[in-house]
PDB file of all heavy atoms in Angstrom:
ATOM      1  N   ASP B 142     136.112 174.741  73.808  1.00 96.00           N
ATOM      2  CA  ASP B 142     136.682 176.041  73.487  1.00 96.00           C
ATOM      3  C   ASP B 142     135.550 177.051  73.275  1.00 96.00           C
ATOM      4  O   ASP B 142     134.676 176.815  72.452  1.00 96.00           O
ATOM      5  CB  ASP B 142     137.543 175.939  72.231  1.00 96.00           C
ATOM      6  CG  ASP B 142     138.875 175.334  72.526  1.00 96.00           C
ATOM      7  OD1 ASP B 142     139.456 175.621  73.596  1.00 96.00           O
ATOM      8  OD2 ASP B 142     139.357 174.517  71.686  1.00 96.00           O
ATOM      9  N   PHE B 143     135.612 178.192  73.960  1.00 96.00           N
ATOM     10  CA  PHE B 143     134.699 179.269  73.736  1.00 96.00           C
ATOM     11  C   PHE B 143     135.260 180.234  72.670  1.00 96.00           C
ATOM     12  O   PHE B 143     134.537 180.849  71.897  1.00 96.00           O
ATOM     13  CB  PHE B 143     134.420 180.026  75.042  1.00 96.00           C
ATOM     14  CG  PHE B 143     133.699 179.185  76.067  1.00 96.00           C
ATOM     15  CD1 PHE B 143     134.420 178.527  77.056  1.00 96.00           C
ATOM     16  CD2 PHE B 143     132.334 178.990  75.994  1.00 96.00           C
ATOM     17  CE1 PHE B 143     133.768 177.741  78.010  1.00 96.00           C
ATOM     18  CE2 PHE B 143     131.670 178.191  76.948  1.00 96.00           C
ATOM     19  CZ  PHE B 143     132.389 177.569  77.954  1.00 96.00           C
ATOM     20  N   SER B 144     136.614 180.443  72.710  1.00 95.00           N
ATOM     21  CA  SER B 144     137.296 181.166  71.695  1.00 95.00           C
ATOM     22  C   SER B 144     138.671 180.641  71.610  1.00 95.00           C
ATOM     23  O   SER B 144     139.310 180.232  72.576  1.00 95.00           O
ATOM     24  CB  SER B 144     137.343 182.669  72.023  1.00 95.00           C
ATOM     25  OG  SER B 144     137.969 182.900  73.282  1.00 95.00           O
ATOM     26  N   VAL B 145     139.238 180.596  70.386  1.00 94.00           N
ATOM     27  CA  VAL B 145     140.468 179.885  70.113  1.00 94.00           C
ATOM     28  C   VAL B 145     141.673 180.768  70.426  1.00 94.00           C
ATOM     29  O   VAL B 145     142.678 180.339  70.995  1.00 94.00           O
ATOM     30  CB  VAL B 145     140.534 179.410  68.643  1.00 94.00           C
ATOM     31  CG1 VAL B 145     141.903 178.725  68.330  1.00 94.00           C
ATOM     32  CG2 VAL B 145     139.410 178.443  68.371  1.00 94.00           C
ATOM     33  N   GLY B 146     141.643 182.039  70.099  1.00 93.00           N
ATOM     34  CA  GLY B 146     142.764 182.932  70.323  1.00 93.00           C
ATOM     35  C   GLY B 146     143.744 182.900  69.143  1.00 93.00           C
ATOM     36  O   GLY B 146     143.507 182.269  68.103  1.00 93.00           O
ATOM     37  N   GLU B 147     144.866 183.620  69.274  1.00 94.00           N
ATOM     38  CA  GLU B 147     145.856 183.729  68.200  1.00 94.00           C
ATOM     39  C   GLU B 147     147.238 183.578  68.774  1.00 94.00           C
ATOM     40  O   GLU B 147     147.474 183.770  69.977  1.00 94.00           O
ATOM     41  CB  GLU B 147     145.719 185.110  67.471  1.00 94.00           C
ATOM     42  CG  GLU B 147     144.383 185.322  66.796  1.00 94.00           C
ATOM     43  CD  GLU B 147     144.297 186.681  66.189  1.00 94.00           C
ATOM     44  OE1 GLU B 147     145.257 187.468  66.398  1.00 94.00           O
ATOM     45  OE2 GLU B 147     143.303 186.962  65.453  1.00 94.00           O
ATOM     46  N   GLY B 148     148.172 183.196  67.888  1.00 93.00           N
ATOM     47  CA  GLY B 148     149.575 183.066  68.332  1.00 93.00           C
ATOM     48  C   GLY B 148     149.990 181.631  68.509  1.00 93.00           C
ATOM     49  O   GLY B 148     149.264 180.693  68.109  1.00 93.00           O
ATOM     50  N   ASP B 149     151.155 181.452  69.108  1.00 93.00           N
ATOM     51  CA  ASP B 149     151.685 180.101  69.296  1.00 93.00           C
ATOM     52  C   ASP B 149     151.253 179.509  70.667  1.00 93.00           C
ATOM     53  O   ASP B 149     151.009 180.240  71.650  1.00 93.00           O
ATOM     54  CB  ASP B 149     153.229 180.171  69.248  1.00 93.00           C
ATOM     55  CG  ASP B 149     153.732 180.606  67.879  1.00 93.00           C
ATOM     56  OD1 ASP B 149     153.046 180.344  66.871  1.00 93.00           O
ATOM     57  OD2 ASP B 149     154.808 181.268  67.886  1.00 93.00           O
ATOM     58  N   CYS B 150     151.180 178.195  70.649  1.00 95.00           N
ATOM     59  CA  CYS B 150     150.838 177.471  71.927  1.00 95.00           C
ATOM     60  C   CYS B 150     152.088 177.460  72.833  1.00 95.00           C
ATOM     61  O   CYS B 150     153.226 177.480  72.334  1.00 95.00           O
ATOM     62  CB  CYS B 150     150.380 176.046  71.600  1.00 95.00           C
ATOM     63  SG  CYS B 150     148.920 175.957  70.595  1.00 95.00           S
ATOM     64  N   PRO B 151     151.916 177.430  74.139  1.00 95.00           N
ATOM     65  CA  PRO B 151     153.063 177.435  75.075  1.00 95.00           C
ATOM     66  C   PRO B 151     153.850 176.148  74.995  1.00 95.00           C
ATOM     67  O   PRO B 151     153.300 175.067  74.717  1.00 95.00           O
ATOM     68  CB  PRO B 151     152.371 177.624  76.429  1.00 95.00           C
ATOM     69  CG  PRO B 151     150.982 177.114  76.266  1.00 95.00           C
ATOM     70  CD  PRO B 151     150.616 177.411  74.862  1.00 95.00           C
ATOM     71  N   LYS B 152     155.140 176.285  75.260  1.00 94.00           N
ATOM     72  CA  LYS B 152     156.069 175.142  75.266  1.00 94.00           C
ATOM     73  C   LYS B 152     156.727 175.053  76.658  1.00 94.00           C
ATOM     74  O   LYS B 152     156.647 175.974  77.485  1.00 94.00           O
ATOM     75  CB  LYS B 152     157.139 175.314  74.206  1.00 94.00           C
ATOM     76  CG  LYS B 152     156.612 175.416  72.776  1.00 94.00           C
ATOM     77  CD  LYS B 152     157.710 175.596  71.782  1.00 94.00           C
ATOM     78  CE  LYS B 152     157.207 175.688  70.371  1.00 94.00           C
ATOM     79  NZ  LYS B 152     156.322 176.842  70.171  1.00 94.00           N
ATOM     80  N   ASP B 153     157.354 173.907  76.919  1.00 93.00           N
ATOM     81  CA  ASP B 153     158.041 173.702  78.190  1.00 93.00           C
ATOM     82  C   ASP B 153     159.121 174.835  78.355  1.00 93.00           C
ATOM     83  O   ASP B 153     159.847 175.163  77.448  1.00 93.00           O
ATOM     84  CB  ASP B 153     158.753 172.364  78.235  1.00 93.00           C
ATOM     85  CG  ASP B 153     157.750 171.226  78.373  1.00 93.00           C
ATOM     86  OD1 ASP B 153     156.578 171.476  78.749  1.00 93.00           O
ATOM     87  OD2 ASP B 153     158.099 170.073  78.111  1.00 93.00           O
ATOM     88  N   GLY B 154     159.170 175.335  79.559  1.00 92.00           N
ATOM     89  CA  GLY B 154     160.090 176.416  79.871  1.00 92.00           C
ATOM     90  C   GLY B 154     159.540 177.803  79.697  1.00 92.00           C
ATOM     91  O   GLY B 154     160.033 178.788  80.268  1.00 92.00           O
ATOM     92  N   GLN B 155     158.453 177.946  78.950  1.00 94.00           N
ATOM     93  CA  GLN B 155     157.822 179.249  78.749  1.00 94.00           C
ATOM     94  C   GLN B 155     156.862 179.535  79.939  1.00 94.00           C
ATOM     95  O   GLN B 155     156.324 178.625  80.583  1.00 94.00           O
ATOM     96  CB  GLN B 155     157.059 179.270  77.430  1.00 94.00           C
ATOM     97  CG  GLN B 155     157.965 179.322  76.224  1.00 94.00           C
ATOM     98  CD  GLN B 155     157.158 179.432  74.933  1.00 94.00           C
ATOM     99  OE1 GLN B 155     156.080 178.866  74.788  1.00 94.00           O
ATOM    100  NE2 GLN B 155     157.731 180.153  73.956  1.00 94.00           N
ATOM    101  N   GLN B 156     156.607 180.784  80.135  1.00 95.00           N
ATOM    102  CA  GLN B 156     155.729 181.201  81.197  1.00 95.00           C
ATOM    103  C   GLN B 156     154.363 181.580  80.598  1.00 95.00           C
ATOM    104  O   GLN B 156     154.286 182.327  79.621  1.00 95.00           O
ATOM    105  CB  GLN B 156     156.291 182.432  81.969  1.00 95.00           C
ATOM    106  CG  GLN B 156     155.338 182.929  83.032  1.00 95.00           C
ATOM    107  CD  GLN B 156     155.972 184.084  83.799  1.00 95.00           C
ATOM    108  OE1 GLN B 156     156.649 183.884  84.802  1.00 95.00           O
ATOM    109  NE2 GLN B 156     155.768 185.320  83.325  1.00 95.00           N
ATOM    110  N   VAL B 157     153.300 181.090  81.185  1.00 96.00           N
ATOM    111  CA  VAL B 157     151.930 181.382  80.763  1.00 96.00           C
ATOM    112  C   VAL B 157     151.258 182.247  81.823  1.00 96.00           C
ATOM    113  O   VAL B 157     151.455 182.022  83.033  1.00 96.00           O
ATOM    114  CB  VAL B 157     151.129 180.102  80.509  1.00 96.00           C
ATOM    115  CG1 VAL B 157     151.655 179.333  79.297  1.00 96.00           C
ATOM    116  CG2 VAL B 157     151.126 179.197  81.738  1.00 96.00           C
ATOM    117  N   THR B 158     150.537 183.239  81.367  1.00 96.00           N
ATOM    118  CA  THR B 158     149.769 184.115  82.236  1.00 96.00           C
ATOM    119  C   THR B 158     148.306 183.878  81.913  1.00 96.00           C
ATOM    120  O   THR B 158     147.880 184.017  80.733  1.00 96.00           O
ATOM    121  CB  THR B 158     150.146 185.570  82.030  1.00 96.00           C
ATOM    122  OG1 THR B 158     151.575 185.745  82.240  1.00 96.00           O
ATOM    123  CG2 THR B 158     149.418 186.466  82.999  1.00 96.00           C
ATOM    124  N   PHE B 159     147.508 183.586  82.911  1.00 97.00           N
ATOM    125  CA  PHE B 159     146.110 183.213  82.632  1.00 97.00           C
ATOM    126  C   PHE B 159     145.260 183.545  83.846  1.00 97.00           C
ATOM    127  O   PHE B 159     145.690 183.618  85.015  1.00 97.00           O
ATOM    128  CB  PHE B 159     145.995 181.726  82.305  1.00 97.00           C
ATOM    129  CG  PHE B 159     146.526 180.813  83.392  1.00 97.00           C
ATOM    130  CD1 PHE B 159     145.694 180.300  84.388  1.00 97.00           C
ATOM    131  CD2 PHE B 159     147.865 180.455  83.453  1.00 97.00           C
ATOM    132  CE1 PHE B 159     146.185 179.531  85.393  1.00 97.00           C
ATOM    133  CE2 PHE B 159     148.353 179.627  84.439  1.00 97.00           C
ATOM    134  CZ  PHE B 159     147.504 179.143  85.405  1.00 97.00           C
ATOM    135  N   HIS B 160     143.966 183.744  83.520  1.00 97.00           N
ATOM    136  CA  HIS B 160     142.910 183.831  84.524  1.00 97.00           C
ATOM    137  C   HIS B 160     142.151 182.531  84.580  1.00 97.00           C
ATOM    138  O   HIS B 160     142.075 181.783  83.532  1.00 97.00           O
ATOM    139  CB  HIS B 160     141.909 184.963  84.176  1.00 97.00           C
ATOM    140  CG  HIS B 160     142.352 186.308  84.708  1.00 97.00           C
ATOM    141  ND1 HIS B 160     142.528 186.570  86.039  1.00 97.00           N
ATOM    142  CD2 HIS B 160     142.653 187.454  84.038  1.00 97.00           C
ATOM    143  CE1 HIS B 160     142.892 187.830  86.194  1.00 97.00           C
ATOM    144  NE2 HIS B 160     142.967 188.406  84.964  1.00 97.00           N
ATOM    145  N   TYR B 161     141.574 182.183  85.728  1.00 96.00           N
ATOM    146  CA  TYR B 161     140.779 180.958  85.790  1.00 96.00           C
ATOM    147  C   TYR B 161     139.724 181.078  86.894  1.00 96.00           C
ATOM    148  O   TYR B 161     139.895 181.875  87.831  1.00 96.00           O
ATOM    149  CB  TYR B 161     141.673 179.728  86.072  1.00 96.00           C
ATOM    150  CG  TYR B 161     142.242 179.709  87.466  1.00 96.00           C
ATOM    151  CD1 TYR B 161     141.541 179.100  88.527  1.00 96.00           C
ATOM    152  CD2 TYR B 161     143.456 180.266  87.755  1.00 96.00           C
ATOM    153  CE1 TYR B 161     142.076 179.044  89.820  1.00 96.00           C
ATOM    154  CE2 TYR B 161     143.977 180.254  89.031  1.00 96.00           C
ATOM    155  CZ  TYR B 161     143.293 179.662  90.023  1.00 96.00           C
ATOM    156  OH  TYR B 161     143.842 179.607  91.307  1.00 96.00           O
ATOM    157  N   ILE B 162     138.693 180.305  86.715  1.00 96.00           N
ATOM    158  CA  ILE B 162     137.653 180.133  87.772  1.00 96.00           C
ATOM    159  C   ILE B 162     137.490 178.620  87.980  1.00 96.00           C
ATOM    160  O   ILE B 162     137.209 177.888  87.012  1.00 96.00           O
ATOM    161  CB  ILE B 162     136.291 180.770  87.354  1.00 96.00           C
ATOM    162  CG1 ILE B 162     136.474 182.269  87.027  1.00 96.00           C
ATOM    163  CG2 ILE B 162     135.269 180.599  88.506  1.00 96.00           C
ATOM    164  CD1 ILE B 162     135.178 182.890  86.527  1.00 96.00           C
ATOM    165  N   GLY B 163     137.624 178.170  89.194  1.00 94.00           N
ATOM    166  CA  GLY B 163     137.514 176.741  89.539  1.00 94.00           C
ATOM    167  C   GLY B 163     136.140 176.376  90.101  1.00 94.00           C
ATOM    168  O   GLY B 163     135.630 177.176  90.979  1.00 94.00           O
ATOM    169  N   TYR B 164     135.555 175.308  89.707  1.00 94.00           N
ATOM    170  CA  TYR B 164     134.303 174.826  90.211  1.00 94.00           C
ATOM    171  C   TYR B 164     134.410 173.356  90.639  1.00 94.00           C
ATOM    172  O   TYR B 164     135.263 172.610  90.155  1.00 94.00           O
ATOM    173  CB  TYR B 164     133.180 174.906  89.125  1.00 94.00           C
ATOM    174  CG  TYR B 164     133.007 176.301  88.508  1.00 94.00           C
ATOM    175  CD1 TYR B 164     133.676 176.647  87.380  1.00 94.00           C
ATOM    176  CD2 TYR B 164     132.103 177.170  89.088  1.00 94.00           C
ATOM    177  CE1 TYR B 164     133.503 177.906  86.795  1.00 94.00           C
ATOM    178  CE2 TYR B 164     131.933 178.439  88.487  1.00 94.00           C
ATOM    179  CZ  TYR B 164     132.614 178.800  87.349  1.00 94.00           C
ATOM    180  OH  TYR B 164     132.434 180.055  86.778  1.00 94.00           O
ATOM    181  N   ASN B 165     133.543 172.961  91.572  1.00 90.00           N
ATOM    182  CA  ASN B 165     133.445 171.536  91.895  1.00 90.00           C
ATOM    183  C   ASN B 165     132.277 170.927  91.101  1.00 90.00           C
ATOM    184  O   ASN B 165     131.670 171.589  90.243  1.00 90.00           O
ATOM    185  CB  ASN B 165     133.256 171.371  93.413  1.00 90.00           C
ATOM    186  CG  ASN B 165     131.997 172.055  93.933  1.00 90.00           C
ATOM    187  OD1 ASN B 165     131.109 172.488  93.175  1.00 90.00           O
ATOM    188  ND2 ASN B 165     131.889 172.189  95.287  1.00 90.00           N
ATOM    189  N   GLU B 166     131.962 169.653  91.366  1.00 90.00           N
ATOM    190  CA  GLU B 166     130.941 168.967  90.596  1.00 90.00           C
ATOM    191  C   GLU B 166     129.558 169.598  90.681  1.00 90.00           C
ATOM    192  O   GLU B 166     128.774 169.514  89.741  1.00 90.00           O
ATOM    193  CB  GLU B 166     130.863 167.495  91.021  1.00 90.00           C
ATOM    194  CG  GLU B 166     132.101 166.687  90.652  1.00 90.00           C
ATOM    195  CD  GLU B 166     131.950 165.228  91.075  1.00 90.00           C
ATOM    196  OE1 GLU B 166     130.880 164.879  91.596  1.00 90.00           O
ATOM    197  OE2 GLU B 166     132.908 164.442  90.875  1.00 90.00           O
ATOM    198  N   SER B 167     129.272 170.230  91.817  1.00 90.00           N
ATOM    199  CA  SER B 167     127.920 170.820  91.968  1.00 90.00           C
ATOM    200  C   SER B 167     127.835 172.225  91.438  1.00 90.00           C
ATOM    201  O   SER B 167     126.807 172.893  91.560  1.00 90.00           O
ATOM    202  CB  SER B 167     127.564 170.845  93.445  1.00 90.00           C
ATOM    203  OG  SER B 167     128.480 171.629  94.205  1.00 90.00           O
ATOM    204  N   GLY B 168     128.921 172.723  90.767  1.00 93.00           N
ATOM    205  CA  GLY B 168     128.873 174.051  90.185  1.00 93.00           C
ATOM    206  C   GLY B 168     129.229 175.185  91.150  1.00 93.00           C
ATOM    207  O   GLY B 168     129.074 176.330  90.779  1.00 93.00           O
ATOM    208  N   ARG B 169     129.678 174.824  92.327  1.00 93.00           N
ATOM    209  CA  ARG B 169     130.066 175.859  93.295  1.00 93.00           C
ATOM    210  C   ARG B 169     131.446 176.391  92.994  1.00 93.00           C
ATOM    211  O   ARG B 169     132.381 175.590  92.746  1.00 93.00           O
ATOM    212  CB  ARG B 169     130.009 175.326  94.702  1.00 93.00           C
ATOM    213  CG  ARG B 169     130.299 176.378  95.809  1.00 93.00           C
ATOM    214  CD  ARG B 169     130.375 175.713  97.168  1.00 93.00           C
ATOM    215  NE  ARG B 169     129.110 175.089  97.477  1.00 93.00           N
ATOM    216  CZ  ARG B 169     128.081 175.749  98.027  1.00 93.00           C
ATOM    217  NH1 ARG B 169     128.213 177.069  98.327  1.00 93.00           N
ATOM    218  NH2 ARG B 169     126.953 175.122  98.320  1.00 93.00           N
ATOM    219  N   ARG B 170     131.625 177.694  92.968  1.00 93.00           N
ATOM    220  CA  ARG B 170     132.925 178.299  92.721  1.00 93.00           C
ATOM    221  C   ARG B 170     133.846 178.065  93.898  1.00 93.00           C
ATOM    222  O   ARG B 170     133.477 178.362  95.047  1.00 93.00           O
ATOM    223  CB  ARG B 170     132.797 179.787  92.386  1.00 93.00           C
ATOM    224  CG  ARG B 170     134.105 180.408  91.955  1.00 93.00           C
ATOM    225  CD  ARG B 170     133.955 181.909  91.663  1.00 93.00           C
ATOM    226  NE  ARG B 170     133.584 182.634  92.870  1.00 93.00           N
ATOM    227  CZ  ARG B 170     132.509 183.414  93.011  1.00 93.00           C
ATOM    228  NH1 ARG B 170     131.687 183.526  91.987  1.00 93.00           N
ATOM    229  NH2 ARG B 170     132.256 184.032  94.128  1.00 93.00           N
ATOM    230  N   ILE B 171     135.056 177.490  93.639  1.00 91.00           N
ATOM    231  CA  ILE B 171     135.980 177.252  94.741  1.00 91.00           C
ATOM    232  C   ILE B 171     137.224 178.188  94.663  1.00 91.00           C
ATOM    233  O   ILE B 171     137.922 178.301  95.674  1.00 91.00           O
ATOM    234  CB  ILE B 171     136.439 175.754  94.699  1.00 91.00           C
ATOM    235  CG1 ILE B 171     137.066 175.430  93.347  1.00 91.00           C
ATOM    236  CG2 ILE B 171     135.291 174.826  95.009  1.00 91.00           C
ATOM    237  CD1 ILE B 171     137.605 173.985  93.265  1.00 91.00           C
ATOM    238  N   ASP B 172     137.462 178.787  93.528  1.00 92.00           N
ATOM    239  CA  ASP B 172     138.630 179.687  93.393  1.00 92.00           C
ATOM    240  C   ASP B 172     138.462 180.561  92.170  1.00 92.00           C
ATOM    241  O   ASP B 172     137.823 180.136  91.201  1.00 92.00           O
ATOM    242  CB  ASP B 172     139.920 178.887  93.335  1.00 92.00           C
ATOM    243  CG  ASP B 172     141.100 179.771  93.642  1.00 92.00           C
ATOM    244  OD1 ASP B 172     140.944 180.943  93.999  1.00 92.00           O
ATOM    245  OD2 ASP B 172     142.278 179.264  93.475  1.00 92.00           O
ATOM    246  N   SER B 173     139.085 181.726  92.151  1.00 95.00           N
ATOM    247  CA  SER B 173     138.993 182.613  91.026  1.00 95.00           C
ATOM    248  C   SER B 173     140.088 183.647  91.100  1.00 95.00           C
ATOM    249  O   SER B 173     140.245 184.333  92.106  1.00 95.00           O
ATOM    250  CB  SER B 173     137.601 183.289  90.959  1.00 95.00           C
ATOM    251  OG  SER B 173     137.583 184.276  89.931  1.00 95.00           O
TER     252      SER B 173
END
Side-chain angles (χ1 to χ4, degrees):
D142 283 322
F143 296 98
S144 59
V145 177
E147 298 178 352
D149 296 330
C150 299
K152 301 179 179 61
D153 288 343
Q155 290 182 324
Q156 178 178 271
V157 291
T158 304
F159 58 92
H160 274 298
Y161 71 89
I162 304 176
Y164 305 91
N165 58 14
E166 291 182 2
S167 61
R169 184 185 298 275
R170 186 180 65 237
I171 57 178
D172 196 8
S173 173

